[in-house]
Amino acid sequence: MGRALLYSVLCLLAFYYLLPLYVMLITSVKELDEIRSGNLLSFPLFISFDAWSKAWSSSCTGVECHGLSSYFFNSVKMVVPSVLISTTLGAINGYVLAKWRFKGSEIIFAMILFGVFMPFQVLLLPMAQTLGWLGIASSTTGLVFVHVVCGLASTTLFFRNYYVGIPDELIKAARLDGAGFWRIFFKIILPMSTPIIMVTLIWQFTNIWNDFLFGVVFSAGDSQPITVGLNNLANTSTSVKEYNVDMAAAIIAALPTIMVYVFAGKYFVRGLTAGAVKG
Amino acid sequence: MSRSAQEAQYGFAERWLPRLVLAPSFLLTLIFLYGFILWNGYLSFTASRLMPNLEWVGIAQYQVLFESERWWVAVKNLFIFAGLFISSGMVIGISLAIFLDQKIRGEGILRTIYLYPMALSFVVTGTAWKWMLNPGLGLEKLMHDWGFTQFTFDWLVNSEMSIYTVVIAGVWQSSGFVMALFLAGLRSVDDSILKAAQIDGASLTRIYWKIILPALRPVFFSTLMILSHIAIKSFDLVMALTGGGPGFSSDVPATFMYAMAFTRGQMGVGAASSMMMLATVAALVVPYLYSELRGKKNGK
């Protein structure tokens, strides 16, 4: 295959992947008249950020018209504790399952692992009732709880697979030197864990920020995350469909995870290579 | 502290601390995954409608489910969607990985471009594609403006074709991820084998086809697992793009379950449908997990 052909195929594909982002961006800065008179790809004649401020603070999601800002902060309040708790638990579980095996620990690992694949639809009805009994239904606390429980499987898997690759001799040597369970974890294991911590943080952040299912089922008005807000906004039927506001809202909802990818994406790819998703 | 006391202390720690540390996660898994599966299974045999109702009705809810036209539309859609989503995602992802593996200038930038859709939520993807594919102002108008006045593209509002728009958006979103997984795999293939093959005069196509891709079988299987799992669980994309419509023509089991359990007051049917989803996933995953864990043990 000629190099020129190769590069043109690659660029064409890059264009295809960038197209929706380009369309979202230019649509969000166009006026409604221009959207109707121009077309999908036409460059805006003048740029206006009105749609952005409307999406952020005054667009209607159903009957309420407060924009997406409160949904955005709900998501922030939900994502930070969920990611930190599930990652910490995953690291400790992975450490035990890889380096402190005991009778039955492989079975426990297999049981936890099934949680990675299981369709969460099965949990929805019992979880809804349980959150009600615990008094955390329709609250951010409830969502954090659900995300921690459901994220445990993947974080444990990531850390376990990574820690299996750390030589056992290191642990043995440390134990001869008199280091115990926690000391080995904090002094030896944790300092070697940066790549897998990055992968897990990125993975969990993206998954939880982007979650829609739990958000739509387990939250109400003042705890709904940004994905639910965006969906409500885009599907609110009004007489005039404001595509520019929809697109600005979509970009606002996507911005945090895109930032994470642009600035930390290389750690993610590097971490994948380091065996996080080894077959 | 004397040496024997020290050893005794570690003995105790080694025995109990790991179990104690693992216990909370184990309990959470036991109660909230396995306990809830049983609970949901129980609900699927009860007369629950708007509220849980403990009256046992045997397989009546499953009968309702299997006689529902909407369910079979959802199942058929899942097969169409999963088949096309997985095969196209794989082909595009693997091709991208092979192309990028040819010592490309600006590989980092291209990789980021191909991978970024994966950072977006399916709700964002759905909203964006819904705008691009809408017949009034989207792609159709663009083609008309460019002079192709006969061009029509109404899949989004055509109940025969709406599920295919979900495939388009889904493949766009996930193929970059497949590329990342395979690129990682390609980079881990031993260079010396390739050099040897090249010296023997094998062509590049032949090297990939006969040596490299077979070596990536594990990556292929884990990607297949990940993609089928995304397909079976896919809910957000359908909700944001078509809402299951027009009518229920683009429903999938996940949106069917949501509609029954939370908007139509048919909790028993919803529970039954989610048990069917679980059974499908379990049939795929349990043999895979079994071979994985056994393989790893033997490998040691």
Side-chain angles (χ1 to χ4, degrees), chain B residues 136-215:
Chain B
L137 292 168
L139 199 63
E140 200 173 279
K141 179 154 189 286
L142 176 72
M143 293 316 244
H144 291 184
D145 283 3
W146 281 355
F148 303 96
T149 45
Q150 297 303 310
F151 182 86
T152 48
F153 194 81
D154 63 347
W155 287 11
L156 198 60
V157 293
N158 178 340
S159 53
E160 295 283 307
M161 304 305 287
S162 52
I163 189 67
Y164 296 98
T165 59
V166 184
V167 176
I168 297 177
V171 169
W172 175 80
Q173 166 133 14
S174 304
S175 44
F177 184 52
V178 179
M179 180 272 308
L181 293 176
F182 271 90
L183 197 58
L186 287 174
R187 296 285 148 86
S188 66
V189 172
D190 194 356
D191 263 352
S192 56
I193 307 175
L194 302 184
K195 294 246 165 64
Q198 263 165 346
I199 290 168
D200 287 348
S203 72
L204 199 60
T205 331
R206 212 180 144 75
I207 293 177
Y208 271 102
W209 197 244
K210 292 277 175 192
I211 302 175
I212 302 183
L213 288 179

Side-chain angles (χ1 to χ4, degrees), chain B residues 206-228:
Chain B
R206 212 180 144 75
I207 293 177
Y208 271 102
W209 197 244
K210 292 277 175 192
I211 302 175
I212 302 183
L213 288 179
L216 292 183
R217 266 217 350 224
V219 184
F220 183 81
F221 277 112
S222 33
T223 313
L224 193 66
M225 290 310 300
I226 295 171
L227 287 185
S228 20

